[in-house]
Amino acid sequence: MNSVNEQQIKEKLQQLIKDAKIYAKKAEQLLLEAKRKEQEYGLLCSRYSGTQQKLQILFSEIQKQLGVVKRLVLTLRHKNKILLSDISQYKTFQETSLMELGQVLETLKRKALHSQLSISQGKQQLLRSTEKKSLFDFVNIESVTQLQQQACTELKRITLIERKGNEILQDVDLQFDDVQRNSELLMNLTGKTDSITTSTNDEQMVQSSNDNSPQLNINFLQNLTENAISDDMNLNQQDIFSMTNIVLEIAGHNDRLQHLLNPVFYSSIDFDDLEQKNNNLRNYISKLENHFEIITNNYYNVNQKYQKFSEFYRLSITCYKQLEQLSPTIPQKVVELDELQTTFHQHKMDSLSTFEEIRELTVWYTFFVTSYDKMLLEIDRRRKVIKQTQEIIDEFRQKIDQIYIEEEQKRQQFFKDYGEYLPGSLCPSILESTVKFQIVPEKWTSNLPELSLTDSLIQQLEMSTSSMQTTQVFEQEKSQEEEENHEDDNSPQH
């Protein structure tokens, strides 16, 4: 073999070796990366191996604690609902009492005294420093204002109790909402639909809090058992073993090519066979990539699995700590609500007399307005009776005077005709004088003013006085209802 042929064979071998080395390097990189993935996979598996039982215990404890907390929250909500309902009813009574008193006072301000009444009072009450122009001027404004201020102060105290009651519940609900959110996240992670109930509906909470058999959704953690881990690791090791064999085969092919560089073997070289084997290296690389992809996918799946596992563990710890913090807090809040309830009832009893007085004043001033209208009608009626009586008296006086004159004339005529013939001793009484009668009232003087009410005004006044009976019936019903409520307040609490 001449030197030219040897040079060509050498160059051709070197090219084959160069190509084979590229494939060998890529194969070694894939194997190295696969082993690294397999090591990371093993670290993940060892990190979380054996934690399923711990999580089951933790989760069961969370479920028990959550049931206890739910019952406590329900108790707190029930007490708060009763307190706020009582406060709302009493505040309505307070505010209504103040509003009605204010309305009737405004009515008194708008109710001007009749001009003739003002003149009459000016004549009869000269010592007074101020002239009364409306019904409001008859109000003891200092005592009424003081009473209103006392009522407003009591209303502020009751409102403060109401605000504290809301703050207590809001504080607990805020913490409980955090627990509920984390519980819901745990439920979503596990695919669990029956062991953790996150509903805020009280009836559903009662049902869920009475569940004494908490169970963790095993399907979630079953994929993370040691057997499953071992199976996945065995599959990865099989792929690593196959990749190692392929890498060794590629390395062996490289070694053979290096060995053939010795000119002694040039004559026995089969380049077709060598080129075919070099071409097969691509298939080996494809197989390596397939194995690497399998290992990578396994690692990705396990990594995703344990990220979810880690999130579940983190949420479980967070939820457990929240429950540990919330559990002793709620009984304290229940005690605070009970104290608020006691304080409220004490304030209610203390302020009851104030608001009863306000109501009585409101009723009195309401009847004052109505009675004033009735008084105007009474004055007008009396004036009419006096006038009618005077007319009757005048008519009778004229008749009596006429009778007297006629009688006097008849007697004079009798004595003129027959008197001189009758002896005085025969009937001395025949000489009596004619009696003159007079109508004298027992007490005639009257200072009633002349109101001169028009027919339309009389009609209006009559309509206003007719509402007094309706008001009296309403007040009787209201008093009866308050007596019943007062009996309920004094009844034993169950």
Side-chain angles (χ1 to χ4, degrees):
M1 183 177 297
N2 56 37
S3 59
V4 175
N5 289 335
E6 289 180 358
Q7 184 63 30
Q8 291 176 349
I9 291 172
K10 183 178 180 181
E11 290 176 358
K12 199 168 185 180
L13 281 172
Q14 287 176 344
Q15 183 62 43
L16 290 172
I17 291 172
K18 181 180 179 181
D19 294 340
K21 283 182 177 180
I22 293 174
Y23 288 118
K25 184 177 181 180
K26 187 172 183 179
E28 290 174 355
Q29 289 175 347
L30 286 172
L31 179 60
L32 183 63
E33 185 67 21
K35 288 183 178 181
R36 187 181 66 82
K37 289 286 185 184
E38 195 270 342
Q39 288 177 352
E40 292 177 357
Y41 181 90
L43 289 175
L44 282 176
C45 294
S46 62
R47 184 182 304 168
Y48 294 102
S49 178
T51 58
Q52 177 189 358
Q53 186 177 3
K54 295 179 182 178
L55 275 179
Q56 286 177 320
I57 296 173
L58 177 61
F59 195 86
S60 297
E61 185 64 26
I62 289 173
Q63 183 72 7
K64 294 177 183 177
Q65 288 278 2
L66 191 60
V68 173
V69 168
K70 283 178 180 178
R71 287 189 287 270
L72 290 173
V73 170
L74 284 173
T75 301
L76 186 68
R77 287 179 179 176
H78 178 68
K79 287 181 174 291
N80 186 74
K81 183 178 180 180
I82 294 176
L83 174 62
L84 295 184
S85 177
D86 292 345
I87 290 176
S88 177
Q89 292 179 5
Y90 192 61
K91 278 183 66 179
T92 300
F93 164 70
Q94 291 176 317
E95 293 167 349
T96 302
S97 299
L98 284 172
M99 180 188 67
E100 290 176 348
L101 178 60
Q103 289 175 345
V104 75
L105 291 177
E106 287 298 321
T107 301
L108 293 177
K109 290 179 181 179
R110 295 193 300 269
K111 198 75 173 179
L113 286 178
H114 195 282
S115 58
Q116 293 299 319
L117 285 176
S118 298
I119 295 173
S120 176
Q121 287 191 53
K123 293 178 181 179
Q124 298 178 22
Q125 303 174 7
L126 296 175
L127 297 178
R128 295 207 173 183
S129 58
T130 57
E131 181 184 358
K132 291 180 170 55
K133 297 181 179 181
S134 70
L135 297 187
F136 184 76
D137 294 330
F138 291 88
V139 176
N140 187 341
I141 191 61
E142 291 183 0
S143 62
V144 171
T145 301
Q146 183 179 3
L147 194 62
Q148 287 176 315
Q149 290 175 348
Q150 290 177 357
C152 289
T153 300
E154 290 298 329
L155 187 58
K156 289 179 180 178
R157 291 175 181 173
I158 298 299
T159 302
L160 181 60
I161 293 175
E162 182 182 37
R163 185 182 304 117
K164 288 182 178 179
N166 282 323
E167 288 174 353
I168 288 174
L169 185 61
Q170 289 172 0
D171 182 40
V172 172
D173 278 344
L174 185 63
Q175 298 181 60
F176 187 65
D177 287 344
D178 290 338
V179 175
Q180 293 281 68
R181 280 192 293 270
N182 286 327
S183 298
E184 185 174 359
L185 290 174
L186 284 175
M187 180 187 70
N188 293 336
L189 280 174
T190 62
K192 190 172 175 58
T193 58
D194 55 353
S195 64
I196 295 183
T197 301
T198 58
S199 173
T200 57
N201 181 276
D202 287 352
E203 294 182 358
Q204 294 182 7
M205 283 178 61
V206 170
Q207 183 178 1
S208 65
S209 63
N210 292 329
D211 183 8
N212 295 321
S213 57
Q215 294 181 354
L216 179 60
N217 185 1
I218 302 301
N219 292 332
F220 169 65
L221 292 177
Q222 197 166 15
N223 293 329
L224 301 177
T225 59
E226 293 183 3
N227 291 333
I229 293 172
S230 299
D231 291 342
D232 289 340
M233 290 185 67
N234 290 333
L235 291 174
N236 286 344
Q237 289 174 358
Q238 291 176 6
D239 287 309
I240 292 293
F241 180 76
S242 298
M243 291 181 70
T244 301
N245 289 336
I246 293 174
V247 170
L248 289 175
E249 190 169 345
I250 293 175
H253 176 66
N254 267 329
D255 290 340
R256 285 192 295 274
L257 289 176
Q258 289 288 346
H259 181 70
L260 291 176
L261 280 176
N262 190 337
V264 175
F265 303 107
Y266 284 179
S267 59
S268 61
I269 292 176
D270 185 354
F271 279 102
D272 292 336
D273 180 59
L274 293 176
E275 289 176 355
Q276 181 63 37
K277 288 182 178 180
N278 258 25
N279 290 332
N280 288 337
L281 294 180
R282 296 178 182 177
N283 295 330
Y284 289 150
I285 296 300
S286 295
K287 290 181 180 180
L288 287 173
E289 289 174 344
N290 289 336
H291 287 296
F292 181 75
E293 184 177 0
I294 292 173
I295 293 174
T296 301
N297 288 336
N298 288 340
Y299 174 78
Y300 175 80
N301 292 333
V302 171
N303 190 44
Q304 291 295 313
K305 183 189 304 181
Y306 285 114
Q307 282 182 5
K308 186 176 181 181
F309 186 94
S310 179
E311 178 66 13
F312 177 83
Y313 186 80
R314 184 191 66 79
L315 283 174
S316 298
I317 294 297
T318 301
C319 189
Y320 183 77
K321 289 181 178 179
Q322 289 174 335
L323 287 170
E324 277 193 326
Q325 183 179 359
L326 184 58
S327 295
T329 301
I330 301 179
Q332 297 174 1
K333 299 298 182 181
V334 171
V335 172
E336 291 179 17
L337 265 185
D338 289 338
E339 293 174 351
L340 277 181
Q341 184 82 18
T342 303
T343 303
F344 163 68
H345 283 294
Q346 185 62 46
H347 280 302
K348 181 178 178 180
M349 296 303 298
D350 294 342
S351 64
L352 196 59
S353 59
T354 300
F355 286 95
E356 285 180 350
E357 186 176 356
I358 287 176
R359 192 193 68 179
E360 292 172 358
L361 275 179
T362 302
V363 173
W364 194 92
Y365 286 133
T366 301
F367 290 162
F368 176 39
V369 174
T370 306
S371 300
Y372 168 76
D373 292 340
K374 193 71 174 178
M375 184 190 71
L376 296 181
L377 291 174
E378 179 67 11
I379 291 173
D380 184 71
R381 185 194 65 79
R382 291 185 185 185
R383 292 287 302 186
K384 289 178 179 179
V385 169
I386 291 173
K387 182 179 179 181
Q388 184 181 12
T389 304
Q390 184 65 49
E391 291 174 351
I392 294 173
I393 291 173
D394 291 342
E395 182 181 354
F396 270 74
R397 184 181 290 115
Q398 291 177 3
K399 290 182 178 181
I400 291 173
D401 289 345
Q402 183 64 34
I403 292 172
Y404 171 79
I405 293 171
E406 292 178 354
E407 178 65 18
E408 185 68 20
Q409 290 175 351
K410 289 179 179 180
R411 289 187 183 191
Q412 290 178 3
Q413 185 65 39
F414 173 79
F415 283 112
K416 183 179 179 180
D417 294 338
Y418 308 105
E420 60 181 312
Y421 305 110
L422 295 173
S425 59
L426 179 63
C427 183
S429 59
I430 195 70
L431 298 175
E432 291 178 351
S433 301
T434 306
V435 179
K436 188 175 183 179
F437 292 94
Q438 288 184 342
I439 299 177
V440 180
E442 184 179 351
K443 184 180 180 182
W444 179 249
T445 58
S446 175
N447 295 320
L448 288 175
E450 178 59 51
L451 302 182
S452 302
L453 301 180
T454 62
D455 292 340
S456 61
L457 180 57
I458 291 174
Q459 186 177 4
Q460 292 178 7
L461 293 175
E462 288 176 345
M463 291 178 62
S464 66
T465 55
S466 65
S467 64
M468 186 172 183
Q469 296 178 348
T470 304
T471 305
Q472 290 173 335
V473 172
F474 171 76
E475 286 301 322
Q476 291 175 357
E477 293 177 351
K478 190 173 182 180
S479 299
Q480 184 178 0
E481 180 181 353
E482 289 178 0
E483 289 177 0
E484 293 175 355
N485 292 336
H486 184 67
E487 292 176 358
D488 292 340
D489 290 339
N490 293 331
S491 62
Q493 299 294 325
H494 299 285

